[in-house]
Amino acid sequence: MAASLSTGLDVHFAIPQSDTKRPIFFTRRKFTIYCNSSKSSTKPPQNPPVKRTPSLSEQLQPLSTTTLPKKDQAGLLSKPKSTWVNPTKPKRSVLSLQRQTRSPYAYNPKVRELKLFANKLSDCDNSEEAFLSGLEEIPLEPTRENALLILNSLKPWQKTHLFFNWIKTKNLFPMETIFYNVTMKSLRFGRQFELIEELANEMVSNEIPLDNITYSTIITCAKRCNLFDKAVEWFERMYKTGLMPDEVTYSAVLDVYAKLGKAEEVVSLYERGVASGWKPDPIAFSVLAKMYGEAGDYDGIRYVLQEMKSLGVRPNLVVYNTLLEAMGKAGKPGLARSLFQELLESGLTPNEKTLTSLAKIYGKARWAKDALELWEEMKSKNWPMDFILYNTLLTMCADIGLVEEAEQLFMDMKKSQHCRPDSWSYTAMLKIYGSGGNVGKAMEFFEEMSEVCVELNVMGTTCLIQCLGKAGRINELVKVFSVSVEQGIKPDDRLCGCLLSVVSRCESRADVDKVLACLHRANPRLVGFVKLIEEEVYCLDTVKEEFKGIISDTKDDARRPFCNCLIDICRSKNLNERAHDLLYLGTLYGLYPGLHNKTANEWSLDVRSLSVGAAQTALEEWMGTLANTIKHEEALPLLFSAQTGAGTHKFSQGLSNSFASHLKKLAAPFRQSEEKAGCFVAKREDLVPWLQSRLQT
């Protein structure tokens, strides 16, 4: 045997810092080196391994490198590698391609009489006493065939279970697998997994064989009850007995593993099944599509489409809906549009779920033209509309800024008998009018909500407060906030961020105090921090500690907006140095990933996720760093760029204009790129002299 040697090496990588005032961080990586000697050991193994039945994970060694990313890892699922089977030595089959033949019932001339009796039992009281009393009227001797027919005809699972137990107590004939299977199927309708598992264990104890139908019923019941670990457990037990699952069970288990997030097992099962001659049905492909979609894996979704075409499987509406939903999560509106056209060309008619998915995709991508075309097509073809679709279309209009279309949709909902506007419908309208600065309309809808007894939600409150804040109508803002809190709305981090943003815009101290009073009711600690950064006596260590505490208590999606608003507050009070400190702290705690990007030929600043004040601060910080680079005579690239984004929303005020004004104020040699909107570029020969001139002042 080859002797192995392994050792761990700790390697430290230093990340150079241009600013010596900032702390220097180190990353630590551990490598393991394996060395195999060429000499063979002459000693035989003293303890030969004991043979055992391998577990499912060992039987299904992955045939691809496809895995879902772990929580602490970034990345997407990759397209599975193809499966090759050696024709001279094929792999062991992992499933049966034939559904198990069900045991035939012997012809019974008394079928009608027995079924009438079964119906009578089904209609009797659910108590055991009433049921046993009804059994005394059984018209025929409970032979095997008679008992089986009655058992299969009983509808409520409670009655089936009682009759099954009664048969066992009579001990008139041996209990066979089919009796357990019929009882389990009835229990599955009632989602009674514990009883099913109890019967299965009873079969094992009494040496009654569990067949494919038994295992299929156990596994699918566990799946319906969301007991996915139990489904896997019984699937593994099935394999250990040497029994092959049929196609129905196989598809169900694919879904179970996908819901457990075990993509490696899903792909292994799929590939082993195909290698065994299995032709996956649309349900199996729907499972794969959903799994890849939730991972945001575009390549995986394409792989599913290619597999369906190569195997000649025609997608049904369920598969199309799953694929559309997956493409929405993967951020692929173009592919979603193509797939929708393919759906129509196949002769299928989209349902409410199809249209809802597509509307969400277009709204998120801000594809106004495609959204309008979809809306017109829906009206002209009279496609089905439900409540969720109406609200999704309204939200899409709000995302894109389609005011007239939203108003028409809202009026249609008002005229509808089954899809009357609810809280989310009104919220979408508040967002539309709020984004457009139409305070009058927004307040009109706010008052209407009270009149028609529709409760305001936290999102509607946030939209309305944002609108009133931008318009400087602080008294009405305070009124809306108070009414919302009185109605039981609990301000969330997004609403607190909105109030913080209003504070940065207030011109008078009186207005600032009014808004801070509202914010204090929602987040007193945040108000305390605002006052801390305004104090004359300023200690960065104290600010750092308190900032860390606030960010730790804030939800991830609100952390960067909080920091942006705090920077804006500092700049509105001409506390620019403190604004730079906050930007540093935000960068330190990972709130601004990707702010700086470097290639051999270009260095860039990406401020698309920053507020106006934060973007200006980041620009100044960047210019200071570049000035130090020149001072130390370090190499510079040929080109510099700053990305602000163009803003695709109809009502977007755009960071680009404010950033351009600040560049002009600084007299910086950045110019708007002719090729890309929202991108400002400067050449090295223009930027270096300008920076040198600033060093001299």
Side-chain angles (χ1 to χ4, degrees), residues 131-175:
F131 187 78
L132 293 175
S133 176
L135 283 172
E136 295 176 0
E137 301 177 14
I138 189 168
L140 299 170
E141 182 72 17
T143 61
R144 176 190 180 277
E145 288 73 21
N146 291 344
L148 190 58
L149 194 148
I150 294 171
L151 186 68
N152 198 47
S153 301
L154 291 169
K155 292 299 180 183
W157 66 265
Q158 296 92 337
K159 305 291 177 60
T160 306
H161 193 230
L162 285 170
F163 186 71
F164 177 74
N165 289 334
W166 180 78
I167 295 172
K168 286 194 297 184
T169 59
K170 292 296 181 181
N171 200 24
L172 299 173
F173 44 81
M175 296 302 293

Side-chain angles (χ1 to χ4, degrees), residues 668-686:
F670 282 87
R671 299 291 179 268
Q672 171 69 54
S673 170
E674 295 180 358
E675 300 175 354
K676 188 176 181 181
C679 179
F680 299 85
V681 295
K683 296 180 180 179
R684 181 175 61 189
E685 58 263 30
D686 297 326

Side-chain angles (χ1 to χ4, degrees), residues 295-352:
D297 186 355
Y298 171 56
D299 289 334
I301 297 169
R302 285 199 309 176
Y303 169 75
V304 174
L305 290 169
Q306 290 169 2
E307 283 287 285
M308 293 181 74
K309 289 180 180 178
S310 65
L311 294 172
V313 178
R314 182 182 178 185
N316 57 21
L317 193 57
V318 174
V319 176
Y320 274 119
N321 287 345
T322 304
L323 286 168
L324 281 172
E325 187 177 350
M327 288 169 189
K329 291 179 179 178
K332 296 296 178 180
L335 189 59
R337 179 177 57 190
S338 300
L339 191 70
F340 182 69
Q341 290 302 317
E342 181 184 309
L343 181 155
L344 298 178
E345 291 168 4
S346 70
L348 294 173
T349 301
N351 61 11
E352 296 90 332

Side-chain angles (χ1 to χ4, degrees), residues 1 43-51:
M1 294 177 63
K43 294 182 180 181
Q46 297 180 1
N47 297 316
V50 180
K51 288 187 177 181

